[in-house]
Amino acid sequence: MKQFECGSLVPGCPWHTRAEEEAEVVRRAVEHMRTAHGETVIRETMVDNIKVRITDQAQAA
């Protein structure tokens, strides 16, 4: 299970998501960035920043 916590990228944001596939976590995180943080253009660097912050919950448990 992959997890992304928005607060690791946007300090103070409590939003997080989990999914089996990294691609789904990234998709959800990008949608969150658009709706909650007003990002209209999602650059490749933003996607890279999201990917770097995705954790594997199987390892963390």
Side-chain angles (χ1 to χ4, degrees), residues 10-37:
V10 180
C13 182
W15 185 87
H16 63 278
T17 189
R18 289 185 194 152
E20 289 295 325
E21 300 295 325
E22 181 179 276
E24 179 62 14
V25 173
V26 171
R27 186 195 69 74
R28 291 176 187 178
V30 165
E31 183 62 26
H32 170 74
M33 290 295 172
R34 285 187 175 121
T35 59
H37 300 296

Side-chain angles (χ1 to χ4, degrees), residues 3-6 8-10 15 17 22-34 37 39 42-55:
Q3 178 172 315
F4 171 74
E5 295 192 24
C6 189
S8 67
L9 185 60
V10 180
W15 185 87
T17 189
E22 181 179 276
E24 179 62 14
V25 173
V26 171
R27 186 195 69 74
R28 291 176 187 178
V30 165
E31 183 62 26
H32 170 74
M33 290 295 172
R34 285 187 175 121
H37 300 296
E39 296 290 336
I42 304 297
R43 302 190 189 283
E44 188 174 334
T45 55
M46 176 67 77
V47 174
D48 291 341
N49 283 330
I50 291 168
K51 287 181 178 180
V52 167
R53 290 166 173 83
I54 292 174
T55 57

